[in-house]
Amino acid sequence: MARGRKLYEGKAKILFAGSEPGTIIQYFKDDATAFNNEKKGTITGKGVLNNRISEHLMQLLMEVGIPTHFIKRINMREQLVREVEIIPIEIIVRNVAAGSMAKRLGIPEGTLLPRSIVEYCYKSDELGDPLVAEEHITAFGWASPQDIDDITAMSLRVNDFLSGLFTGIGIKLVDFKLEFGRVYDEHGEMRIVLADEISPDNCRLWDSVTAEKMDKDRFRRDLGSVEEAYQEVARRLGILPEAELKEVDAPAPE
Ligand code: UDP
């Protein structure tokens, strides 16, 4: 499939125009960043694994009725998605205290939360994605109260579905980050769909028995065996045939 012009290069992905109008090609890089770009590195094969893992999870979510931007995977590192207008809010769903929330509220990492907690952060690299309240989101017009209700309901459904899925393969879904976007139909009606990616780059995944980390915290905290952890997630999801392992070093785009 022909790649159009480069639209945007992010930390882990490059977006190109797709051949059909209203489509985008997401190219998954091996680059990894953490702590708001202060730490940079590469995780060999990460792009291939995240492309495949995100495809799998988005497809399963669509099967249970969550609308997403996903159209199809094109090759090892690229997937075709619908072009959306990204809502500048990162939705974080937490089941277990970890990371910034554990630090901010002084809760030991690993504490089971009394119920799932949804947080909103304003998407801004410059500001380090600050935590915001619904008040900020509606006052500054980033999303309407109805949009927030829809996004929150969808995020909790995603959490229920993915928590069950991961529990079934011996993994605890500690927390994750979602992004949503707007699409417009031929009558100009707006619909909100799940966008971006769902992968060990934006989920915390702990082995149910050993609590070993199987996500980007291995990179953030220099725990080693990062690519092995991502591979293990793919293997448990049943989407890692041996053959695919050999091609993880696909060339980067120009
Ligand atoms: N997260 C993310 N992108 C961000 C910030 C967070 O994907 O810019 C994910 C992160 O991987 C984790 C969850 O959101 O699964 C909660 O992250 P947290 O707020 O604890 O921040 P961190 O400790 O990663 O700085």
Side-chain angles (χ1 to χ4, degrees):
M1 182 169 297
R3 238 176 8 210
R5 67 191 176 87
K6 184 164 153 178
L7 303 174
Y8 173 81
E9 178 152 5
K11 288 172 267 186
K13 291 190 290 296
I14 307 174
L15 305 184
F16 297 92
S19 44
E20 299 285 321
T23 64
I24 284 195
I25 294 171
Q26 292 198 132
Y27 177 97
F28 286 74
K29 301 191 282 185
D30 285 348
D31 297 350
T33 62
F35 312 119
N36 204 24
N37 256 331
E38 270 170 42
K39 182 181 168 97
K40 289 192 170 105
T42 51
I43 303 170
T44 313
K46 173 176 82 82
V48 173
L49 291 160
N50 282 356
N51 186 22
R52 186 74 186 91
I53 292 170
S54 194
E55 171 197 22
H56 183 68
L57 298 178
M58 290 280 186
Q59 274 175 337
L60 291 175
L61 287 167
M62 286 180 345
E63 281 171 27
V64 297
I66 308 274
T68 85
H69 71 160
F70 183 81
I71 301 173
K72 65 171 184 181
R73 186 163 64 90
I74 301 166
N75 58 38
M76 302 293 281
R77 283 182 185 269
E78 293 176 326
Q79 56 179 239
L80 188 69
V81 300
R82 279 192 72 171
E83 185 175 18
V84 305
E85 193 183 288
I86 285 284
I87 296 170
I89 303 295
E90 297 192 341
I91 290 83
I92 294 177
V93 184
R94 303 179 181 274
N95 301 306
V96 174
S100 70
M101 195 191 75
K103 210 164 153 186
R104 191 181 340 119
L105 300 180
I107 305 172
E109 229 184 27
T111 309
L112 187 63
L113 298 171
R115 61 180 171 83
S116 302
I117 293 176
V118 180
E119 292 176 343
Y120 310 99
C121 296
Y122 177 52
K123 248 175 93 67
S124 161
D125 283 343
E126 252 167 73
L127 302 174
D129 302 337
L131 186 70
V132 292
E134 280 193 46
E135 278 286 289
H136 302 98
I137 300 175
T138 51
F140 296 122
W142 298 324
S144 70
Q146 181 63 53
D147 294 341
I148 302 176
D149 284 354
D150 292 349
I151 288 169
T152 306
M154 273 195 268
S155 300
L156 289 169
R157 286 190 64 207
V158 170
N159 184 46
D160 284 347
F161 180 80
L162 293 184
S163 292
L165 178 82
F166 280 116
T167 300
I169 55 172
I171 293 175
K172 187 187 280 187
L173 180 61
V174 170
D175 58 31
F176 58 93
K177 185 263 295 182
L178 298 177
E179 292 185 28
F180 291 86
R182 303 176 203 280
V183 291
Y184 298 87
D185 68 14
E186 62 275 24
H187 311 293
E189 289 285 320
M190 189 272 286
R191 216 162 50 109
I192 293 178
V193 303
L194 181 60
D196 194 43
E197 66 174 287
I198 309 178
S199 72
D201 265 11
N202 39 43
C203 300
R204 282 198 171 90
L205 303 168
W206 294 357
D207 182 276
S208 303
V209 176
T210 63
E212 198 181 347
K213 298 184 198 316
M214 304 171 72
D215 55 59
K216 206 168 107 179
D217 271 349
R218 300 204 71 83
F219 168 77
R220 292 188 189 101
R221 303 180 189 189
D222 294 319
L223 300 173
S225 304
V226 190
E227 51 266 46
E228 289 80 358
Y230 281 54
Q231 271 177 18
E232 179 59 14
V233 172
R235 194 191 64 76
R236 291 200 200 175
L237 285 168
I239 54 172
L240 193 66
E242 286 303 308
E244 290 202 11
L245 265 177
K246 301 194 180 71
E247 292 201 53
V248 291
D249 290 323
E254 67 289 342

